Amino acid sequence: MDATRLYEHRWQAFYKTYLKPGTMSPLGQIQRVWWRHEDQSRGSLHIHLAVWVEPGTENDDAIEGTAPRECKTASE
């Protein structure tokens, strides 16, 4: 119970600081956020998250990823 409460407290603090719509975050001006809380089979809580950033406010130095990621092997 204590771990779940701490997790929720930390998530709410992170959301209010960086992800609340209208907030200027390190990613840019937050327009919309979607998330889902899940637990792994061993009970570890985590979040799947999608963030929409206002066009023209994106930070090009922010974290970037693609799906699927390019795979570089030793033979290439």
Side-chain angles (χ1 to χ4, degrees), residues 2-74:
D2 289 337
T4 302
R5 285 184 180 157
L6 179 59
Y7 166 84
E8 182 64 21
H9 174 76
R10 291 183 72 187
W11 162 246
Q12 288 299 323
F14 182 81
Y15 173 78
K16 289 175 186 175
T17 303
Y18 297 107
L19 299 175
K20 192 171 183 179
T23 301
M24 187 61 171
S25 78
L27 299 172
Q29 180 84 22
I30 302 299
Q31 188 176 34
R32 185 175 176 184
V33 180
W34 171 91
W35 70 87
R36 179 176 64 197
H37 298 272
E38 284 188 355
D39 62 341
Q40 294 174 330
S41 58
R42 65 177 187 258
S44 177
L45 296 170
H46 64 280
I47 294 176
H48 293 267
L49 176 73
V51 179
W52 286 261
V53 177
E54 190 72 39
T57 66
E58 329 55 36
N59 180 359
D60 292 334
D61 296 328
I63 298 170
E64 182 178 314
T66 59
R69 295 181 182 157
E70 289 184 36
C71 180
K72 301 288 185 186
T73 62

